[in-house]
Amino acid sequence: MGKLFGTFGIRRVANEVLTPEMATELAMSFGTFIGGEPVVIGKDPRKHGEMLYSALKAGFLSVGCPVIELNTTATPALQWACRQWNFWGAMVTASHNPPEWNGIKFMEKSGKGLDREKEEKVEDIFFAKSFKRVGWQAIPQNTTKRDITQDYIKAIIDRVNALAIKESRFRVLIDCANGAPSLITPYLLSELGCRVVSLNAHPDGNFPGRNPEPTPENLGDLTILMKNGSFDIGFAQDGDGDRLIVIKENGEFIPGDLSVSVVARELARSEKKGPIVTTVATTHLLQEIAKENNRECIITAVGDLVVAKVLQEKDGIFGCEENGGMIFPDFVWGRDGAMACAWILHIMATKQKTISELLAELPPYYQVKTKIKVDPEKKEKILNKIDEITSREQNRITIDGFKVIFDDGSWVLIRPSGTEPLIRVFAESRDKEKAEKLVKQYLEIIQNV
């Protein structure tokens, strides 16, 4: 039997692999698994989103699930709605993937993504086609349409020092990637009293402004505007609004590891108890921050679904990933780019410091991150080779890929992507040249297999 789910949800090329027929059967599978209970559904603005959204809706109705439609919205907004209403959820999105991709994320009533055990049960139903269709009399005749945008924005504002932010009158540049954040984040910033300039802020499934993944190579326009304008901070999001990248006032790209560390340090200093939870791919800065504040730092496999699960189990205070994803467990059981924006502004306003000043307070670490496309047929051979080489090292972690930690605290991680035919190579060190050397060494190994 095949495997449908990746790191979080199902992602495939739209209308080639992820067809309307497949989406309908996925909805029927999930709807059968939850016994016909209500489902909240939403989508990002991708061109094929409406096609798959309609197919999803039909599948749920076929197995008797009442459907609450949010239409175009951000993934964390839908997760917030699930938690508020205690309903299951389904989001049509491929997050940061290129325009030809789409996907489906299923959520529990808490708003957290399905754990692997539940995913396997949905897969069993899908491959066996053991859907429990209802009789025509039991098919819900109508769906319920809701707009939760303003409620979601208000809920974010209630969790930060909005007065301090408003008094700061920050000038903010936000790049919404022509995605779902276009409908939320600029308005949130405006409600917080910021002077907002928006870039790529009209929803468009062609993603005409840039690729939806907020990487340095995709944020050229944003960084140029930051350098030549007069802004206090810049923000960039991905297609479905769960990630946030921060740009300094001088236009310099801030790696996700550093922006999450600024927030982690602030929360670690609070009175609320609980560990910080992060992934094997994230900076060791977080472990230092946790230690300084007498907290535990729990390391997990990569994926916000995994981080959220551990946050729930351990009553954690904050979860984060190296890509700029931040989880605020008292609000949404998943990454939330809009809340991350508000929290960074909250810290700047209450500390009366620029983002550069806040970053300068962190211990210096240098990171090098890259990825390489691999032939799927060679993937297993490559990973076996990496396993063999790294097994010779004294301190190795294999919870997700292969991570080697050296005596001086430097580390290198080699792990396959859960959603694309890629292998990622990350390294971190207090010595920039060493980080670069580690990445180069393992890229050569991969290329020579």
Side-chain angles (χ1 to χ4, degrees):
M1 186 176 69
K3 183 175 180 291
L4 293 171
F5 292 88
T7 307
F8 184 2
I10 298 154
R11 295 184 204 173
R12 303 287 191 276
V13 175
N15 224 29
E16 290 183 16
V17 182
L18 184 52
T19 61
E21 295 87 349
M22 183 179 183
T24 300
E25 293 193 348
L26 284 167
M28 291 166 66
S29 302
F30 184 60
T32 297
F33 168 69
I34 64 175
E37 292 187 18
V39 183
V40 184
I41 66 171
K43 64 180 178 68
D44 71 19
R46 289 171 185 266
K47 286 191 72 174
H48 22 73
E50 186 63 38
M51 173 186 76
L52 297 172
Y53 181 82
S54 298
L56 206 67
K57 181 166 59 174
F60 283 129
L61 295 174
S62 175
V63 293
C65 292
V67 173
I68 300 90
E69 294 190 63
L70 301 186
N71 212 311
T72 302
T73 193
T75 295
L78 187 141
Q79 291 178 287
W80 178 81
C82 290
R83 186 165 174 174
Q84 295 300 305
W85 302 334
N86 197 35
F87 288 161
W88 302 91
M91 179 76 181
V92 178
T93 179
S95 188
H96 64 274
N97 284 53
E100 66 271 21
W101 286 71
N102 216 322
I104 299 169
K105 295 179 177 179
F106 293 122
M107 286 92 173
E108 299 186 10
K109 291 180 180 181
S110 65
K112 184 177 73 65
L114 300 185
D115 58 36
R116 185 60 196 145
E117 183 182 349
K118 292 184 177 69
E119 287 177 346
E120 287 175 351
K121 290 179 180 178
V122 173
E123 287 175 345
D124 289 343
I125 295 167
F126 177 86
F127 289 113
K129 298 194 183 300
S130 52
F131 319 120
K132 293 184 179 177
R133 298 179 187 269
V134 297
W136 69 268
Q137 303 95 332
I139 298 171
Q141 185 168 346
N142 298 301
T143 63
T144 303
K145 295 175 173 59
R146 296 285 300 270
D147 183 353
I148 51 104
T149 303
Q150 288 305 314
D151 291 339
Y152 172 64
I153 288 173
K154 183 180 182 302
I156 292 175
I157 292 172
D158 288 344
R159 281 167 172 76
V160 295
N161 191 331
L163 179 60
I165 297 172
K166 287 177 181 178
E167 289 177 346
S168 298
R169 294 284 291 155
F170 293 121
R171 185 166 166 80
V172 181
L173 180 61
I174 172 75
D175 183 341
C176 298
N178 299 113
S182 305
L183 303 175
I184 295 171
T185 313
Y187 301 97
L188 166 65
L189 295 170
S190 180
E191 288 290 320
L192 285 169
C194 298
R195 292 167 291 167
V196 186
V197 176
S198 301
L199 180 65
N200 301 320
H202 60 285
D204 188 331
N206 290 304
F207 298 109
R210 64 169 172 88
N211 185 292
E213 186 171 13
T215 55
E217 57 269 25
N218 293 332
L219 299 179
D221 291 344
L222 178 63
T223 54
I224 288 170
L225 285 170
M226 286 294 298
K227 287 176 183 176
N228 293 283
S230 179
F231 297 98
D232 296 296
I233 195 166
F235 294 126
Q237 293 190 259
D238 61 343
D240 71 333
D242 64 353
R243 281 168 57 179
L244 181 76
I245 285 295
V246 185
I247 307 295
K248 286 185 183 179
E249 61 273 23
N250 64 0
E252 184 180 336
F253 180 94
I254 302 173
D257 294 83
L258 297 182
S259 56
V260 303
S261 295
V262 168
V263 178
R265 186 178 60 167
E266 181 70 12
L267 289 169
R269 291 173 173 173
S270 70
E271 294 181 359
K272 185 178 178 183
K273 295 180 180 180
I276 294 169
V277 182
T278 190
T279 75
V280 70
T282 312
T283 177
H284 282 203
L285 254 175
L286 293 163
Q287 297 176 43
E288 286 194 28
I289 289 168
K291 186 177 180 180
E292 287 172 3
N293 293 278
N294 298 312
R295 292 182 188 273
E296 184 182 7
C297 183
I298 300 175
I299 307 301
T300 74
V302 171
D304 64 319
L305 194 156
V306 186
V307 175
K309 183 179 180 181
V310 175
L311 279 170
Q312 275 189 324
E313 292 172 348
K314 302 296 184 180
D315 196 20
I317 190 172
F318 180 62
C320 55
E321 295 183 286
E322 55 80 27
N323 58 18
M326 305 188 208
I327 302 176
F328 302 87
D330 64 338
F331 189 65
V332 167
W333 290 113
R335 301 179 302 199
D336 191 331
M339 178 62 91
C341 278
W343 253 99
I344 288 172
L345 294 175
H346 164 94
I347 296 168
M348 290 171 61
T350 56
K351 302 297 182 186
Q352 295 188 338
K353 293 180 179 179
T354 66
I355 188 64
S356 291
E357 289 170 338
L358 292 167
L359 290 165
E361 295 173 354
L362 299 173
Y365 275 91
Y366 299 97
Q367 285 196 341
V368 179
K369 300 178 181 181
T370 190
K371 57 189 177 184
I372 182 170
K373 280 192 173 183
V374 296
D375 182 342
E377 294 184 1
K378 285 188 175 182
K379 184 177 177 181
E380 186 176 353
K381 188 177 180 181
I382 291 169
L383 294 176
N384 287 338
K385 183 66 174 179
I386 298 296
D387 184 15
E388 176 194 338
I389 292 170
T390 57
S391 66
R392 303 167 193 161
E393 302 291 345
Q394 189 172 5
N395 193 354
R396 186 177 78 146
I397 299 173
T398 57
I399 58 174
D400 190 347
F402 305 95
K403 183 174 186 177
V404 177
I405 304 170
F406 302 95
D407 291 340
D408 63 355
S410 302
W411 56 266
V412 62
L413 171 71
I414 306 94
R415 64 173 291 273
S417 168
T419 57
E420 301 171 81
L422 302 170
I423 290 180
R424 304 184 190 277
V425 183
F426 296 171
E428 180 178 72
S429 176
R430 288 184 180 270
D431 180 346
K432 186 178 180 181
E433 288 186 7
K434 180 164 185 179
E436 292 172 345
K437 185 178 178 181
L438 285 168
V439 167
K440 183 180 178 182
Q441 174 187 342
Y442 280 93
L443 280 178
E444 288 176 355
I445 292 168
I446 292 168
Q447 290 167 337
N448 291 330
V449 171

